[in-house]
């Protein structure tokens, strides 16, 4: 008994409001509008996810609900056609919005891959430096330390001799 005009009014009004309001977020998806944020470097934080509250996903949820839950098999042909037309319109809108969502997620993936590459290079450099520090030959270090000790002892001995020098030792006594 539902007329096409009544069905159109319902789909554009009360039914659409269930998906557009913040109540709709709780009712249909239970998710937050806040995407997952990740630190990918010391100075860069970015959104690394999307959520079910984006327009594209809301439109798809609306289509699935219309087709599955509005009792389409009990509608007359004209009212059913209104439901189908609205479903097709919403699918087209979702299809138009989905590339933006994919682009945002793809951009985040590319930035994460780039950050991972930079971190891998930094890790390699740090590992090489640590390896250079840890890879010191103990025998060579011992030889160098012994050589430095000998040089210091020689310097002390020369300094002690210089301190003992006095002009009085070289002046003839009369």
């Amino acid at each position: 008994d539902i007329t096409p005009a009544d069905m159109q009014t319902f789909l554009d009004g009360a039914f659409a409001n269930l998906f557009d309001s913040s109540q709709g977020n709780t009712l249909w998806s239970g998710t937050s509008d806040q995407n997952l944020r990740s630190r990918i470097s010391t100075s860069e934080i970015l959104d690394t996810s999307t959520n079910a509250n984006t327009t594209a996903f809301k439109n798809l949820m609306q289509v699935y609900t219309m087709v599955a839950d509005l009792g389409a098999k009990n509608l007359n042909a004209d009212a059913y056609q209104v439901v189908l037309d609205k479903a097709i319109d919403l699918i087209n809108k979702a299809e138009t919005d989905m590339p933006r969502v994919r682009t945002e997620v793809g951009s985040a993936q590319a930035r994460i891959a780039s950050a991972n590459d930079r971190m891998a290079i930094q890790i390699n450099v740090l590992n090489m430096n640590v390896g250079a520090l840890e890879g010191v030959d103990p025998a060579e270090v011992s030889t160098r330390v012994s050589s430095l000790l000998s040089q210091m002892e020689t310097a002390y001995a020369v300094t002690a001799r210089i301190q003992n020098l006095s002009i009085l030792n070289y002046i003839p006594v009369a």
Side-chain angles (χ1 to χ4, degrees):
D1 294 339
I2 298 174
T3 66
D6 288 342
M7 180 56 76
Q8 189 68 50
T9 301
F10 170 72
L11 291 176
D12 292 339
F15 185 73
N17 289 340
L18 292 173
F19 294 89
D20 289 336
S21 67
S22 60
Q23 172 196 6
N25 293 353
T26 305
L27 181 66
W28 298 106
S29 70
T31 63
S32 167
D33 288 334
Q34 181 65 43
N35 293 333
L36 179 67
R37 296 182 58 81
S38 301
R39 178 176 297 279
I40 62 170
S41 72
T42 56
S43 62
E44 191 172 12
I45 298 174
L46 61 99
D47 286 346
T48 53
S49 70
T50 190
N51 64 72
N53 297 328
T54 62
T55 306
F57 290 118
K58 281 184 178 184
N59 285 340
L60 289 175
M61 283 187 285
Q62 198 170 351
V63 169
Y64 295 143
T65 304
M66 278 190 310
V67 172
D69 244 11
L70 288 182
K73 64 182 177 180
N74 296 327
L75 295 176
N76 63 47
D78 293 333
Y80 183 68
Q81 188 60 47
V82 169
V83 171
L84 289 180
D85 291 342
K86 182 68 173 181
I88 290 169
D89 180 52
L90 289 170
I91 287 173
N92 287 335
K93 286 180 182 177
E95 191 175 68
T96 301
D97 287 342
M98 200 57 75
R100 180 188 55 78
V101 173
R102 278 191 225 117
T103 299
E104 289 171 358
V105 172
S107 173
Q109 286 176 324
R111 290 173 68 187
I112 289 169
S114 176
N116 284 343
D117 291 344
R118 286 191 309 270
M119 282 191 266
I121 291 169
Q122 289 173 344
I123 287 170
N124 287 338
V125 167
L126 291 173
N127 284 338
M128 286 181 358
N129 289 336
V130 167
L133 292 174
E134 290 177 345
V136 173
D137 181 20
E140 180 183 347
V141 170
S142 176
T143 303
R144 281 186 171 181
V145 169
S146 295
S147 172
L148 287 172
L149 266 168
S150 294
Q151 289 174 2
M152 284 177 56
E153 287 172 357
T154 303
Y156 288 145
V158 169
T159 303
R161 283 181 130 184
I162 290 174
Q163 283 179 338
N164 289 331
L165 289 179
S166 171
I167 192 139
L168 296 176
N169 293 337
Y170 297 100
I171 296 180
V173 179

